[in-house]
Amino acid sequence: MRTSDWQGLPVECGISEKQIVRLLYTPFDTSSFKKMRISTTGIAIVRHSETGELFEIEPDEINWEVVASEERDMGPDRLWSASISRDELGEIRWEMSEYPEGLLGDPVPYLRGHELVQKFSVGIEHEPDFDDDDFDEDDFDREAAAEDMREWFYANYEDPANSLPYVSAEGGYQWIYGGPDTPQDALGSSFSGDYPEEFIEEVAADIVDESGLWDWSPIPGPDFFDDGEEIAEERSAEEDALALSRLLPLAEELEQDPETGAFEVRAKKVEKPDLLAATLAQLADAIEDVLENQSNGLNENSLEIRKLRRTLERYANDPQRVEMDLTTVHHSLTVQIGTGELPPSEENQALLSALQEGAQGIRATDPEVAENRRLLQEQSLRELSPENLEKIAEAAPVLEAITQGDLREQMRDDVLFLTQEMRVGPPKLPGVTRADAIVTGQDEAVRVFGRSARMLIALRKTPEFVNKIHSSAGFKALNILAVLGGLVSLGLMLF
């Protein structure tokens, strides 16, 4: 809730906007949370999954921080996380729940396939309360202290809109620099030993009141990360994936199997199933009319007919996929008729009309699919060189390993089309523009590269799933991430 949401409340309620913000801002007593920390003792020992070498992790090498918090019946339910990066082990981390307040669960390690030989011991330490007896109200310059805290806050935190990527399909802002943090979280952790809690809350509420922002992003600096160069590389890879995901939108949801870690695809709900069914029935009739006469130049083995048959048989409940396939085949047939490869017969023209009307009908009833097509039409695909095709073909085993169900079949079909079927199709003829010549394969490439980008984003957020895939598929975790990162880089170069 933002301050602006409360503009115009009747003054008869007797509460000012600033007071409302403060009431919202402190829904429960956070004083104990501000004055406690996780104490880590002992040494953790990790055995490398391949070399068997033992690595000791000292307790002062990790720093616990709250990464998620939810208010429940008995107070806040918090998730704590601590991580460390070693060249030999990669980034490993521990997560631990706290609920109710003060009761810690067992730390759960995420070790990228390595083995935990010896555990840390963890507990809660309470920092000394602010000593009101030592605080001299007469010597306290409230205005100067408030200005100091405000200057510190704005030097270390910023509006997420300034530098964070925003992906609606991924839930909004991508907090690549940590956070989100509220002003009270930030000021409380830095000034709780200097000023009374009530004063800190007042300054924090003033910041929220004047900015209208609840969540803020830390400003990265040279001391913000433990390993600046390595994390900068990881951040760059994730930013590339986010950028490619925005370039190549799809109206679908990628989901991960919690048991295997492999990805599946869930099609977008059909807005008007009766209309889609009628559209596909009309398309099926147009296909049969074309195939009845050999002089139309198409037969059951024609690539376009096989693609449409597959669409009708397997993807009739997926409006995004149907729209893409109808658009792709329409472009391909238009080019072939325009260059004389296919005759402009009545049946061929009727098929073109059915394809166009079907694609446009889906866009008319599904705004998200329509917006995706608009964005894709703004992109031009560079020609897929033999080197590009080789990279896609080399990625095929990994894509096979990290997907399952319908998504696995779709990725397999799209890779096969891009690397083999498209290359043996009709040759490019004089009179066909470069833009027309590369239309074939565009939607297949959108699916391969766009989905690879979203899978990379998801795996970077859930390294435990990478380890599950590693265990079941035989691919090293680093190989999986490297292959997806290579496809993302290639996609950004091509689009």
Side-chain angles (χ1 to χ4, degrees):
M1 185 71 70
R2 300 289 185 261
T3 306
S4 57
D5 297 330
W6 293 86
Q7 299 290 339
L9 278 177
V11 295
E12 289 82 357
C13 67
I15 302 177
S16 69
E17 292 175 5
K18 184 177 293 187
Q19 288 173 315
I20 292 172
V21 170
R22 289 173 183 168
L23 287 172
L24 291 172
Y25 199 65
T26 54
F28 56 87
D29 181 10
T30 60
S31 58
S32 60
F33 172 56
K34 295 305 175 189
K35 298 176 183 178
M36 76 176 191
R37 66 182 182 88
I38 302 298
S39 170
T40 309
T41 58
I43 296 176
I45 300 178
V46 177
R47 177 181 286 117
H48 196 283
S49 60
E50 296 181 356
T51 66
E53 184 178 357
L54 297 177
F55 294 88
E56 294 186 352
I57 312 295
E58 299 285 347
D60 59 359
E61 293 184 75
I62 66 171
N63 180 38
W64 291 95
E65 60 181 8
V66 175
V67 295
S69 180
E70 177 184 1
E71 186 68 13
R72 295 174 58 187
D73 293 341
M74 294 188 292
D77 181 354
R78 302 186 182 103
L79 177 64
W80 293 82
S81 179
S83 63
I84 181 176
S85 183
R86 290 278 187 90
D87 291 340
E88 302 88 350
L89 299 172
E91 183 176 350
I92 57 177
R93 63 187 173 92
W94 286 260
E95 289 186 354
M96 175 175 57
S97 64
E98 180 199 356
Y99 181 76
E101 191 169 42
L103 182 61
L104 297 176
D106 293 330
V108 178
Y110 297 97
L111 305 179
R112 307 172 69 92
H114 308 303
E115 178 187 359
L116 183 63
V117 178
Q118 180 172 298
K119 301 179 180 179
F120 286 121
S121 295
V122 297
I124 291 179
E125 282 188 358
H126 291 271
E127 298 178 358
D129 292 337
F130 180 81
D131 192 346
D132 291 325
D133 294 335
D134 293 338
F135 183 71
D136 190 345
E137 182 72 30
D138 294 335
D139 292 338
F140 178 46
D141 187 338
R142 297 178 64 87
E143 185 175 343
E147 187 61 29
D148 286 344
M149 283 196 287
R150 290 164 56 85
E151 287 184 3
W152 175 88
F153 180 80
Y154 285 116
N156 289 277
Y157 292 87
E158 65 178 347
D159 184 339
N162 291 348
S163 58
L164 297 188
Y166 187 92
V167 183
S168 57
E170 299 294 331
Y173 286 112
Q174 305 302 299
W175 302 92
I176 57 178
Y177 302 130
D181 292 325
T182 66
Q184 185 166 330
D185 288 339
L187 295 177
S189 63
S190 296
F191 296 98
S192 60
D194 300 325
Y195 305 119
E197 189 70 23
E198 295 78 8
F199 178 64
I200 294 176
E201 291 176 3
E202 181 181 338
V203 176
D206 284 342
I207 292 175
V208 173
D209 184 51
E210 69 184 20
S211 66
L213 291 178
W214 181 284
D215 294 327
W216 295 72
S217 173
I219 298 175
D223 298 328
F224 187 79
F225 299 111
D226 293 332
D227 188 338
E229 182 176 351
E230 179 177 344
I231 296 181
E233 292 177 357
E234 293 182 3
R235 188 169 67 253
S236 176
E238 187 166 348
E239 288 174 344
D240 285 349
L242 289 168
L244 186 60
S245 179
R246 288 195 297 270
L247 285 175
L248 309 178
L250 291 170
E252 64 183 23
E253 294 291 336
L254 282 182
E255 299 177 343
Q256 279 182 284
D257 187 318
E259 298 297 325
T260 66
F263 289 91
E264 298 177 285
V265 66
R266 180 165 59 87
K268 179 181 176 62
K269 181 181 178 180
V270 179
E271 297 292 338
K272 294 186 177 181
D274 293 343
L275 178 60
L276 180 60
T279 296
L280 296 180
Q282 180 183 3
L283 176 61
D285 290 342
I287 293 173
E288 296 305 321
D289 291 342
V290 163
L291 295 179
E292 284 183 1
N293 190 341
Q294 293 183 355
S295 64
N296 290 320
L298 295 169
N299 57 59
E300 289 286 358
N301 292 323
S302 299
L303 183 61
E304 292 76 16
I305 298 300
R306 287 190 285 118
K307 184 184 291 290
L308 293 177
R309 292 283 199 206
R310 183 172 58 197
T311 302
L312 293 172
E313 294 169 3
R314 292 167 53 183
Y315 305 128
N317 64 338
D318 185 346
Q320 175 72 89
R321 177 64 189 243
V322 173
E323 188 272 346
M324 281 188 147
D325 286 350
L326 268 56
T327 300
T328 297
V329 174
H330 182 274
H331 280 300
S332 178
L333 294 180
T334 299
V335 171
Q336 293 181 62
I337 291 174
T339 58
E341 297 173 67
L342 293 176
S345 63
E346 182 178 344
E347 291 86 354
N348 284 347
Q349 295 290 349
L351 177 57
L352 282 178
S353 296
L355 293 169
Q356 182 174 354
E357 291 173 4
Q360 291 176 342
I362 293 173
R363 295 171 202 159
T365 58
D366 194 316
E368 187 175 357
V369 172
E371 176 63 11
N372 289 351
R373 177 54 59 187
R374 185 189 69 79
L375 293 174
L376 294 180
Q377 286 176 338
E378 296 175 355
Q379 307 296 329
S380 60
L381 176 65
R382 297 178 187 270
E383 187 172 357
L384 290 165
S385 67
E387 293 78 13
N388 300 150
L389 297 174
E390 184 177 357
K391 290 180 181 179
I392 297 173
E394 290 174 350
V398 170
L399 296 176
E400 181 95 2
I402 66 176
T403 55
Q404 61 187 33
D406 195 42
L407 179 59
R408 174 180 288 176
E409 294 185 25
Q410 291 191 34
M411 295 292 280
R412 183 190 298 145
D413 289 341
D414 286 339
V415 169
L416 178 66
F417 177 81
L418 292 173
T419 58
Q420 296 183 35
E421 292 180 330
M422 186 178 69
R423 312 309 293 179
V424 299
K428 299 174 184 176
L429 301 178
V432 180
T433 66
R434 172 167 292 273
D436 286 334
I438 64 174
V439 163
T440 300
Q442 175 147 338
D443 284 340
E444 287 83 356
V446 166
R447 289 193 291 265
V448 169
F449 292 114
R451 287 169 170 172
S452 295
R454 283 179 273 280
M455 286 190 285
L456 179 59
I457 293 170
L459 289 177
R460 286 194 172 277
K461 293 180 179 178
T462 56
E464 62 273 20
F465 283 151
V466 183
N467 295 327
K468 287 185 178 182
I469 297 172
H470 175 195
S471 301
S472 62
F475 286 98
K476 294 181 180 180
L478 290 178
N479 286 350
I480 295 173
L481 296 178
V483 167
L484 291 176
L487 288 175
V488 168
S489 299
L490 178 57
L492 287 174
M493 181 184 70
L494 293 173
F495 284 95

